[in-house]
């Protein structure tokens, strides 16, 4: 109950006291005979209007199907409000008797029961015939009880002759509403149980209002009118509470979600309706009063309906039994024919049941043999399997992998095992699959993904992984490029060139220590990751030049191919910065002549060398956000891309690679990344248009991988920004140069609703290769990279092909480089969902974005 009260909307909390106060003030001054102003009905009209507004507000946060019952209730509240205002504003003969206001009142008064019916439809295997019988039984039972105890609701002796039928209608309405609500809402789904409970309360308030109206006719008094009005007001506001506790989406899409669940309030109502009849009959017999003819007929009807309900129950039980038997047979056949093994194990690892496939996988010859699972597991895996099974609950964590040794002495098989366990049970269901061949292929593919197929050396991806895992100090990176290698291919052919590259790889291993890494970057480019100081690395680079300067034999040819080397220390800035510095040093070596070694010059670095300046800027809030808009085809801003900018007191505006590079060199990239996520989420969350999304780029070489998903969650939680509005943008270089943990962090962030975008798509690997690693939601294509500047038609053809391909994966396309209105129209025609560039709003502050939104005239 406390949780339910906490979910009551604020509008209900202030509407109810005001309504009670207004009714208590206006009821005594309202004309009881309908000839004067009905002030209380005007107040009820306002309460109904407030309920309609609250119901519609709650339904706005729901999907279409989930909101349907509550929008119907909101519409009914509107009609009820109109009827009350008509009746209260035009007293006298204009609205005397049955008229428009009575029709509207009838629709509003029966809407809660109709909504109960809409909710009952969501319960699986709803038996409408049984519900009709149950509702009729409760209704007739309540009417018989009122007849036996001689209440004025069925014996309006003191009512005016022309109003006795109205008293009977009020009494019948109360019984019918309670009966229908009890039948329809007693059984609901788990997600709708609280809403069904509140609706039962609303119906109870309506029934109380009907009884009070009847009593006001039998014994006229403004007190009865006040009770009726207060009950109606509480019923109307209960509708808003029911909508507030309803699920935001239609969750009854699976058999488990649509399974029936009993509502306690509905059960109490049904029991009250059913048990009150025998109690009333016993009271009549004890007091010596004879049952009237109407009561006897009602009892006969109740008993007849209960007999009919018993017949329906028997038929339903028979159908359920048949379904269970059929399901058991289907399930057994499924298990017997499944290629995956299924077994049941107790908490002592004893196998209680094994399917034929499981016996084949585990090497069990006799199905009746009492077998312990650990006895079948390879000895080296037994401790691991036992600990993992005991310490990890069933269904949690990744599947187990272990080996079993077949009885025929053949090679061990590797099994993948997942499990499930019913709450409170000591038995665990195991699902076994032979993954021997798959794991062998995976290991081979992994080896191929991180190894150069020609030389057998680690490739670029392995190099950057090793640099990311290497200590911050004490290592250096050497990047080398062969001098004159092109002539080898031109003169002797590519086969000879391949032989020379293999020989280069062999020679490089002779000049490094065992703990050092030799990698091939591609073409005639190699890299070495060595341990030691810069001076020691320069000495190794000199040995590389000397070793590779010795002539090479390739087939029938001999070539004098040398090498140029660039050296850079691997410091706190990370591998990407070290690679850029070593590559820059290599270019200097090439410019200086062949066979040269150059060391990265610390004095030639970017202007941001002071960690204190940047740290102070982050602390004082001197950094600011600049936002580039990605617009939909109609011009509405759909996404803003946030970029950090620092207005340096000496160097002016610092942004982009200069800012991130300076942060990397000074060990502040983690703080800059956290600042960007936090500030950008807070800024976009404060925008008036909740449809606008936010894109944050994770630049290659500057991503702090550890804890990335946690930082994203913290930024979203602090700002209140919905996860679905945040997009993390990465490039293929980011994936390639970051540690392997980046993919896991991105997947964890995406599981919360955050979207992923691949930037600069179309310049690297295929979409299939990328989707195998990271599930994407968007790709960004820069038109300036698809074709030359004067080949716009070709760029559009490529963009159209990309849009067609990504559409089959459910991935949206963002087209960048939009410089002219004509280019925008062509990109839209090619299938781009979002567009940005110089022809669209860019480099804006958050205030400029907000002003642009304020200038937009709502449609």
């Amino acid at each position: 109950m406390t949780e339910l009260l906490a979910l009551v909307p604020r509008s209900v909390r202030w509407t109810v006291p005001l309504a009670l106060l207004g009714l208590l003030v206006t009821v005594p001054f309202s004309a009881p005979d309908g000839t004067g102003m009905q002030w209380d009905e005007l107040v009820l009209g306002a309460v109904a209007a407030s309920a309609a507004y609250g119901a519609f507000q709650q339904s706005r946060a729901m999907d279409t199907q989930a909101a349907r019952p509550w929008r119907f209730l909101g519409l009914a509240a509107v009609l009820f409000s109109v009827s009350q205002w008509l009746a209260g504003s035009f007293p006298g003969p204009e609205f005397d008797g049955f008229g428009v206001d009575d029709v509207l009142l009838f629709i509003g008064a029966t809407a809660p029961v109709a909504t109960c019916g809409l909710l009952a439809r969501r319960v699986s295997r709803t038996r409408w015939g049984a519900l009709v019988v149950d509702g009729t039984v409760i209704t007739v039972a309540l009417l018989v009880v009122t007849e036996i105890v001689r209440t004025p609701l069925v014996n309006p002796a003191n009512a005016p002759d022309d109003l006795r039928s109205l008293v009977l209608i009020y009494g019948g309405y109360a019984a019918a509403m309670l009966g229908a609500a009890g039948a329809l809402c007693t059984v609901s789904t788990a997600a709708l149980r609280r809403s069904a409970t509140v609706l039962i309360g609303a119906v109870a308030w309506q029934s109380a209002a009907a009884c009070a109206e009847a009593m006001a006719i039998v014994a006229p008094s403004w007190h009865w009118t006040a009770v009726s009005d207060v009950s109606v007001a509480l019923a109307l506001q209960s509708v808003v509470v029911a909508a507030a506790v309803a699920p935001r989406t239609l969750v009854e899409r699976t058999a488990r979600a649509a399974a029936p669940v009993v509502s306690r309030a509905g059960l109490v109502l049904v029991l009250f309706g059913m048990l009150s009849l025998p109690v009333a009959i016993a009271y009549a017999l004890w007091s010596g009063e004879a049952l009237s003819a109407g009561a006897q007929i009602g009892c006969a009807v109740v008993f007849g309906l209960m007999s009919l309900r018993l017949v329906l129950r028997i038929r339903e039980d028979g159908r359920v039994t048949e379904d269970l038997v059929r399901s058991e047979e289907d399930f057994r056949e499924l298990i017997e024919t499944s290629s995956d093994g299924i077994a049941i194990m107790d908490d002592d690892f004893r196998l209680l049941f094994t399917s034929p496939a499981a016996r084949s996988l585990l090497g069990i010859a006799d199905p009746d043999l009492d077998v312990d699972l650990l006895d079948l597991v390879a000895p080296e895996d037994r401790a691991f399997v036992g600990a993992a099974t005991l310490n990890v609950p069933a269904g949690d964590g990744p599947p187990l992998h272990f080996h079993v040794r077949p009885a025929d002495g053949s090679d061990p098989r590797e099994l993948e095992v997942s499990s499930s366990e019913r709450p409170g049970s000591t038995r665990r269901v195991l699902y076994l699959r032979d993954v021997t061949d798959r794991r062998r292929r995976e290991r081979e593919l992994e080896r191929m993904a991180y190894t150069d197929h020609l030389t057998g050396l680690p490739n670029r991806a392995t190099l950057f992984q090793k640099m990311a895992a290497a200590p911050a100090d004490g290592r250096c990176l050497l990047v080398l490029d062969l001098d004159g290698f092109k002539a080898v291919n031109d003169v002797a052919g590519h086969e000879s060139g391949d032989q020379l590259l293999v020989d280069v790889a062999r020679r490089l291993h002779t000049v490094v220590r065992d703990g050092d890494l030799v990698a091939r970057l591609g073409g005639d480019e190699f890299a070495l990751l060595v341990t030691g100081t810069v001076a020691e690395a320069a000495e190794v680079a000199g040995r590389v030049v000397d070793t590779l300067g010795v002539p090479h034999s390739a087939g029938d040819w001999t070539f004098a191919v040398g090498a140029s080397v660039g050296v850079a220390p691997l410091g706190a800035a990370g591998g990407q910065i070290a690679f850029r510095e070593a590559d820059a040093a290599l270019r200097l070596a090439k410019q200086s002549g062949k066979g040269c070694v150059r060391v990265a010059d610390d004095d030639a670095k970017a202007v941001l060398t002071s960690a204190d300046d940047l740290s102070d800027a982050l602390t004082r809030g001197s950094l600011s956000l600049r936002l580039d808009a990605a617009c939909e085809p109609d011009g509405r801003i759909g996404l803003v891309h946030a970029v950090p900018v620092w207005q340096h007191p000496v160097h002016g505006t610092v942004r982009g690679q200069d800012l991130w590079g300076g942060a990397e060199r000074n060990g502040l990239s983690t703080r800059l990344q956290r600042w960007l996520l936090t500030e950008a989420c807070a800024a976009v969350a404060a925008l008036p248009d909740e449809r606008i999304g936010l894109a944050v780029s994770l630049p290659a070489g500057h991503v702090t991988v550890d804890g990335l998903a946690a930082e994203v969650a913290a930024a979203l939680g602090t700002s209140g920004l919905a996860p679905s509005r945040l997009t993390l943008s990465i490039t293929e270089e980011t994936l390639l140069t970051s540690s392997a943990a980046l993919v896991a962090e991105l997947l964890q962030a995406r599981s919360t609703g955050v979207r992923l975008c691949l930037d600069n798509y179309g310049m690297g690997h295929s979409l299939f290769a990328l989707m195998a690693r990271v599930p994407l939601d968007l790709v960004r294509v820069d038109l300036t990279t698809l074709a030359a500047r004067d080949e716009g038609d070709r760029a559009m053809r490529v963009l159209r092909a990309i849009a067609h391909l990504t559409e089959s994966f459910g991935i949206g396309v963002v087209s960048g480089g939009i410089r002219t209105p004509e280019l925008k129209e062509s990109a839209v025609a090619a299938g781009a969902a979002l567009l940005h560039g110089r022809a669209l709003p860019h480099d804006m502050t958050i205030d400029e974005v907000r002003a642009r939104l304020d200038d937009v005239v709502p449609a």
Side-chain angles (χ1 to χ4, degrees):
M1 182 61 69
T2 304
E3 296 180 359
L4 187 62
L5 292 177
L7 294 174
V8 175
R10 294 178 58 185
S11 61
V12 175
R13 298 180 185 178
W14 61 260
T15 300
V16 170
L18 291 179
L20 296 180
L21 179 61
L23 290 172
L24 293 177
V25 171
T26 57
V27 167
F29 299 99
S30 299
D33 55 358
T35 58
M37 288 295 296
Q38 304 297 308
W39 300 106
D40 57 332
E41 294 185 353
L42 296 178
V43 174
L44 283 181
V47 175
S50 171
Y53 174 79
F56 284 124
Q57 281 292 102
Q58 296 297 328
S59 66
R60 287 184 60 188
M62 306 178 187
D63 60 33
T64 303
Q65 292 184 338
R68 188 172 298 156
W70 314 112
R71 290 174 181 170
F72 173 74
L73 271 179
L75 179 60
V78 170
L79 297 179
F80 184 84
S81 174
V82 173
S83 70
Q84 292 298 295
W85 282 335
L86 289 175
S89 302
F90 301 96
E94 290 86 356
F95 284 89
D96 192 17
F98 188 80
V100 176
D101 59 330
D102 296 302
V103 174
L104 300 178
L105 179 63
F106 175 79
I107 296 175
T110 56
V113 171
T115 303
C116 291
L118 293 176
L119 298 184
R121 290 182 58 194
R122 299 186 184 177
V123 183
S124 63
R125 304 175 66 89
T126 300
R127 305 296 185 185
W128 291 103
L131 292 180
V132 172
V133 173
D134 291 344
T136 307
V137 168
I138 298 173
T139 301
V140 176
L142 292 175
L143 292 175
V144 172
V145 170
T146 56
E147 169 65 21
I148 293 175
V149 299
R150 303 292 181 179
T151 64
L153 298 178
V154 295
N155 294 283
N158 297 330
D161 294 339
D162 57 338
L163 295 179
R164 289 183 181 179
S165 59
L166 185 58
V167 175
L168 296 175
I169 291 175
Y170 277 130
Y173 166 80
M177 292 287 287
L178 291 174
L184 294 173
C185 290
T186 298
V187 178
S188 63
T189 65
L192 291 172
R193 179 163 50 184
R194 290 189 298 189
S195 295
T197 299
V198 177
L199 273 181
I200 291 174
V203 171
W205 285 117
Q206 281 187 294
S207 301
C211 294
E213 284 289 338
M215 292 305 299
I217 297 174
V218 176
S221 172
W222 69 269
H223 298 90
W224 289 116
T225 303
V227 171
S228 172
D229 291 344
V230 169
S231 299
V232 170
L234 293 176
L236 289 169
Q237 294 304 309
S238 297
V239 167
V240 183
V241 177
V245 299
R248 306 291 96 175
T249 59
L250 185 63
V251 298
E252 295 82 9
R253 301 183 187 274
T254 62
R256 182 182 296 273
V261 176
V262 176
S263 170
R264 294 180 181 177
L267 184 61
V268 171
L269 179 57
V270 172
L271 290 177
F272 171 77
M274 299 302 298
L275 295 180
S276 61
L277 180 59
V279 171
I281 294 175
Y283 169 76
L285 295 176
W286 176 76
S287 61
E289 296 183 4
L291 298 179
S292 65
Q296 295 178 16
I297 294 174
C299 290
V301 171
V302 169
F303 296 146
L305 291 174
M306 293 179 66
S307 301
L308 176 60
R309 186 66 178 89
L310 181 60
V311 172
L312 294 176
R313 173 63 67 182
I314 294 173
R315 292 180 58 188
E316 182 178 353
D317 290 345
R319 285 194 297 268
V320 171
T321 302
E322 292 177 2
D323 291 343
L324 288 176
V325 172
R326 190 181 303 110
S327 299
E328 183 178 355
E329 293 175 351
D330 295 341
F331 182 69
R332 182 174 295 276
E333 183 178 356
L334 178 64
I335 291 178
E336 297 291 339
T337 59
S338 174
S339 60
D340 292 342
I342 299 177
I344 300 178
M345 178 185 71
D346 63 12
D347 52 1
D348 294 325
F349 298 94
R350 189 164 52 93
L351 295 176
L352 306 177
F353 167 81
T354 52
S355 68
R359 293 193 292 272
S360 175
L361 293 175
L362 295 172
I364 301 175
D366 186 0
D368 298 326
L369 188 65
D370 192 5
V371 180
D372 191 298
L373 176 65
L374 295 181
D375 293 338
L376 304 174
V377 178
E380 61 271 17
D381 292 337
R382 287 176 184 170
F384 162 71
V385 172
T389 304
L390 294 176
N391 299 332
V392 179
D396 293 347
L400 290 179
H401 288 263
F402 58 82
H403 295 81
V404 295
R405 301 186 181 277
D408 58 4
S410 57
D411 293 336
R413 283 197 295 262
E414 184 173 357
L415 302 184
E416 180 183 82
V417 181
S418 55
S419 62
S420 62
E421 183 177 350
R422 294 178 60 86
S425 174
T426 59
R427 303 192 304 176
R428 183 174 293 197
V429 181
L430 307 179
Y431 309 95
L432 303 95
R433 178 175 297 177
D434 188 350
V435 295
T436 305
D437 294 338
R438 191 192 78 188
R439 293 283 286 180
R440 186 183 298 115
R441 289 193 299 269
E442 288 177 352
R443 285 190 286 270
E444 179 62 19
L445 289 173
E446 184 177 4
R447 186 194 67 79
M448 294 173 61
Y450 292 99
T451 305
D452 177 59
H453 71 282
L454 175 63
T455 62
L457 295 176
N459 60 12
R460 184 188 186 101
T462 305
L463 172 67
F464 279 94
Q465 283 190 354
K466 294 296 184 181
M467 287 194 295
D473 298 315
R475 285 198 168 191
C476 293
L477 177 66
L478 284 67
V479 178
L480 64 98
D481 182 90
L482 299 182
D483 299 327
F485 177 74
K486 184 177 183 297
V488 178
N489 288 333
D490 293 342
V491 174
H494 288 83
E495 184 177 357
S496 297
D498 291 345
Q499 294 175 6
L500 190 146
L501 291 174
V502 173
D503 185 55
V504 169
R506 180 187 61 79
R507 294 189 187 188
L508 289 176
H509 276 294
T510 64
V511 298
V512 297
R513 291 181 285 252
D514 291 339
D516 296 335
L517 176 71
V518 179
R520 183 189 178 198
L521 301 178
D524 60 344
E525 295 183 352
F526 294 82
L528 286 76
L529 186 61
V530 299
T531 303
T533 63
V534 174
E536 293 171 336
E539 182 181 349
V540 173
R543 293 202 304 268
V544 168
V545 171
D546 295 339
T547 301
L548 297 185
V550 177
H552 299 262
S553 296
D556 297 333
W557 299 82
T558 300
F559 297 94
V561 176
S564 299
V565 186
V567 182
L570 181 64
Q576 183 66 23
I577 297 299
F579 182 83
R580 290 174 183 169
E581 294 175 350
D583 190 54
L586 173 61
R587 289 195 299 272
L588 290 176
K590 285 283 190 181
Q591 295 171 3
S592 301
K594 298 180 180 181
C596 294
V597 176
R598 289 292 181 268
V599 178
D601 185 6
D602 291 338
D603 294 333
K605 292 181 180 179
V607 297
L608 297 178
T609 57
S610 173
D612 293 335
D613 286 350
L614 184 54
S615 178
D616 290 343
L618 288 168
T619 303
R620 297 193 310 268
S622 300
L623 270 65
S624 61
L625 288 176
R626 291 289 180 173
L627 304 172
D628 297 331
C631 299
E632 295 180 355
D634 60 359
R636 189 186 72 82
I637 297 179
L639 197 70
V640 289
H641 177 235
V643 178
V645 175
W646 181 19
Q647 198 64 34
H648 195 277
V650 176
H651 303 290
T653 301
V654 181
R655 62 193 304 166
Q657 187 58 43
D658 291 338
L659 180 57
W660 283 104
E664 278 285 344
R665 284 190 294 273
N666 294 294
L668 296 174
S669 60
T670 300
R671 288 185 60 187
L672 180 57
Q673 176 177 287
R674 185 183 303 116
W675 179 91
L676 177 59
L677 286 169
T678 303
E679 294 296 322
C681 288
V684 174
L687 292 177
D689 191 347
E690 297 181 357
R691 296 173 298 175
I692 294 180
L694 166 67
V696 174
S697 292
L698 303 178
H702 308 302
V703 182
T704 302
V705 175
D706 295 336
L708 174 62
E711 286 189 7
V712 171
L716 292 172
T718 303
S719 65
L721 186 71
S724 60
R725 295 177 62 187
L726 175 62
T727 299
L728 297 180
S729 179
I730 55 175
T731 63
E732 292 182 43
E733 186 181 6
T734 305
L735 293 174
L736 190 63
T737 59
S738 300
S739 67
L742 176 61
V743 174
E745 294 288 335
L746 291 175
L747 292 177
Q748 183 177 349
R750 190 175 187 270
S751 66
T752 65
V754 175
R755 302 197 300 171
L756 301 181
C757 174
L758 178 67
D759 199 2
N760 288 334
Y761 173 68
M763 302 305 296
H765 294 85
S766 70
L767 184 64
F768 307 97
L770 293 167
M771 287 291 290
R773 297 187 63 193
V774 181
L776 300 172
D777 302 288
L778 294 170
V779 294
R780 177 188 172 274
V781 181
D782 194 341
L783 295 179
T784 59
T785 63
L786 297 184
R789 189 177 184 89
D790 57 347
E791 294 181 345
D793 293 339
R794 179 184 176 188
M796 287 303 119
R797 288 197 299 271
V798 177
L799 177 61
R800 188 176 296 105
I802 292 175
H804 180 72
L805 174 62
T806 55
E807 182 181 8
S808 61
F809 286 91
I811 300 174
V813 176
V814 182
S815 178
I818 303 297
R819 302 184 300 270
T820 63
E822 294 77 12
L823 202 58
K824 173 184 175 183
E825 294 178 1
S826 299
V828 172
L834 292 173
L835 310 104
H836 75 94
R838 294 296 175 182
L840 297 165
H842 62 279
D843 200 27
M844 300 180 291
T845 66
I846 190 64
D847 292 332
E848 291 172 343
V849 174
R850 187 178 292 108
R852 181 174 292 272
L853 295 176
D854 292 339
D855 293 339
V856 175
V857 179

